[in-house]
Amino acid sequence: MDIMFNTAVLASDPVRRQQILSILEAALQAVNPFKAVQSALHVEKDTLWIGEHEYMLSNYENIYVVGAGKASTPMTQAIEALVGDRISGGLVVTKSEHGGPTKRVQLAEASHPVPDELGVDGGRQVLRIAEAAGQDDLVITLLSGGGSSLLVAPAVGLTLDDLQLMTNALLRCGATINEINILRKHCSAVKGGQLARAVAPADLVTLVLSDVIGNPLDVIASGPTVPDSTTWRDAWTIIERYDLLEQIPMAILGRIQAGLQGAVPDTPEPGDPLFERSVVEVIGDNRIAARAAADQAQLLGFDTLLLTTYLEGEAQEVAKVAVSLAKEILSTHQPLQPPACLILGGETTVRLGDDPGRGGRNQELALAAAIALEGIENVTIVSLATDGTDGPTDSAGAMADGTTVARGRAEGLSARAHLQNHDAYPYLDAVHDLLLTGPTQTNVNDLIFVFVY
């Protein structure tokens, strides 16, 4: 996986920004999905090792590979390189334009973040493969960021349109990915441990490239192969919390109410015996990427600190915190001495209005930081989506410094107006502060950097 950033972003400060790009590249290379799979698995003659778990491949009548996520292509290619023609077949769903060549496992492409009919077709095929697996079979499941939107199998009585309307409502209200996935699990035939229910009694191995803060297995890709600790009550509470009763389709509201009344079974919970032959391995996450970035920054002479990988909150508010940390370093040289690189990992949110412009949470964070940094020298704030796609745009995020607002003003643009309209993309594009990589085919949340010189 070769990561190439756009060179236009170097224009305003070539030397410093080239250093920054090398740090971002190190972070992305550290969570290369192909390498992550091959590091987690080991095949020796007829034995497949996953951590301390041993699988004699010749004991299985069939080995199937299923799954979903933005990293599906390299993860599938890595499994095929390891297990080869022992694989009987399978299907893995990835995001549109994220596909690639495979030999034994079929790759399907579908829409993200709002599911489409291709995702429904893929989800149903994955479910059929899982249900066909028997006592003497092995099912390897590959999950990565985006899996919740890409692995779609609407529950009985629900339609794709219902799921699309629900997903849009949750994205617009600023719900966290954890909250969104609780609703998704309770509207699906495959999420929330239900894929594992379909696979049983076959052996099940799940490899996870985590895009969720803290790596909660029941949240990543909506936990299709692990127990679900959430309930119908949790789902209903989220709808009430964000005042979504008028925006969620009646079919979904009716299903959740039926679940609350015990008329619809809940997702399989911890302790369910169907998980006895199931193993889950997290092969990459935000902390691995952040640590790699910190190592590269130190090699380049930065005093470096990884502050957290649990960052959450509104993008504009997080931007203010990032700038305040930069000001502290400038003023007191605490907690770092310039040149300094402070790293935060996690995922912010944006609460959109009725008619938002173009952008994503990382672009919004960068633009908000630019406004707070206006006129301040020797500080650069970077916000990066590790999957290369920030919101519904081709941007991976953006950089901002004390000149970003002035450069926009010279183009006749108002940074505050663009921020108010959630329209960061055209502004940052005009001042050449966007980060562009194309699909990175990995996804381990976001990384925010505070550079002080």
Side-chain angles (χ1 to χ4, degrees), residues 27 286 289-290 293 343-346 362 382-386 445-449:
N286 186 262
I343 303 171
L344 304 93
N362 290 279
V382 182
S383 193
L384 174 71
T386 57
N445 297 119
D446 302 332
L447 292 171
I448 293 89
F449 298 85

Side-chain angles (χ1 to χ4, degrees), residues 180-242:
I180 293 170
N181 286 352
I182 289 172
L183 268 298
R184 284 169 166 166
K185 285 187 284 190
H186 285 85
C187 295
S188 172
V190 69
K191 299 177 180 14
Q194 295 177 92
L195 181 60
R197 180 182 280 162
V199 167
D203 281 345
L204 174 62
V205 169
T206 304
L207 304 180
V208 176
L209 191 73
S210 172
D211 70 327
V212 181
I213 294 170
N215 302 338
L217 297 177
D218 62 338
V219 175
I220 301 165
S222 296
T225 61
V226 298
D228 181 24
S229 58
T230 70
T231 65
W232 294 112
R233 173 55 57 190
D234 296 321
W236 189 257
T237 297
I238 293 164
I239 291 172
E240 292 183 324
R241 179 179 302 147
Y242 292 101

Side-chain angles (χ1 to χ4, degrees), residues 160-441:
L160 172 62
D161 188 53
D162 292 329
L163 299 185
Q164 289 174 330
L165 290 170
M166 180 187 74
T167 302
N168 275 323
L170 290 165
L171 289 170
R172 292 176 69 86
C173 76
T176 68
I177 187 61
N178 300 40
E179 292 170 329
I180 293 170
N181 286 352
I182 289 172
L183 268 298
R184 284 169 166 166
K185 285 187 284 190
H186 285 85
C187 295
S188 172
V190 69
K191 299 177 180 14
Q194 295 177 92
L195 181 60
R197 180 182 280 162
V199 167
D203 281 345
L204 174 62
V205 169
T206 304
L207 304 180
V208 176
L209 191 73
S210 172
D211 70 327
V212 181
I213 294 170
N215 302 338
L217 297 177
D218 62 338
V219 175
I220 301 165
S222 296
T225 61
V226 298
D228 181 24
S229 58
T230 70
T231 65
W232 294 112
R233 173 55 57 190
D234 296 321
W236 189 257
T237 297
I238 293 164
I239 291 172
E240 292 183 324
R241 179 179 302 147
Y242 292 101
D243 194 22
L244 296 177
L245 283 172
E246 300 297 323
Q247 300 176 53
I248 299 292
M250 287 300 300
I252 290 178
L253 297 177
R255 174 176 171 80
I256 296 172
Q257 282 294 322
L260 287 170
Q261 295 166 13
V264 180
D266 213 331
T267 49
E269 61 186 18
D272 193 308
L274 71 87
F275 297 107
E276 290 177 356
R277 297 179 63 178
S278 176
V279 170
V280 182
E281 187 82 10
V282 176
I283 63 172
D285 62 11
N286 186 262
R287 179 165 291 275
I288 291 173
R291 281 292 347 149
D295 291 344
Q296 178 67 11
Q298 288 174 334
L299 285 175
L300 293 173
F302 288 92
D303 190 12
T304 304
L305 173 64
L306 171 53
L307 186 62
T308 182
T309 56
Y310 287 82
L311 183 69
E312 294 182 276
E314 287 276 347
Q316 293 188 34
E317 297 304 314
V318 171
K320 294 175 185 177
V321 172
V323 173
S324 72
L325 291 168
K327 290 178 177 178
E328 186 69 34
I329 296 171
L330 279 173
S331 176
T332 69
H333 293 188
Q334 294 294 329
L336 299 171
Q337 290 275 346
C341 173
L342 192 63
I343 303 171
L344 304 93
E347 190 167 301
T348 61
T349 55
V350 175
R351 192 180 295 270
L352 297 174
D354 292 333
D355 189 24
R358 296 179 65 203
R361 59 182 179 265
N362 290 279
Q363 296 162 65
E364 179 134 336
L365 192 155
L367 184 55
I371 293 170
L373 283 173
E374 183 176 7
I376 297 176
E377 298 181 351
N378 297 320
V379 175
T380 300
I381 305 291
V382 182
S383 193
L384 174 71
T386 57
D387 62 357
T389 51
D390 180 38
T393 75
D394 61 355
S395 170
M399 296 189 188
D401 59 32
T403 71
T404 296
V405 170
R407 285 185 278 121
R409 190 177 296 118
E411 298 292 329
L413 301 174
S414 166
R416 292 186 183 278
H418 277 266
L419 183 63
Q420 183 177 356
N421 294 328
H422 305 291
D423 196 32
Y425 183 99
Y427 184 97
L428 295 166
D429 186 29
V431 298
H432 305 297
D433 280 352
L434 284 179
L435 294 168
L436 302 172
T437 62
T440 63
Q441 295 195 321

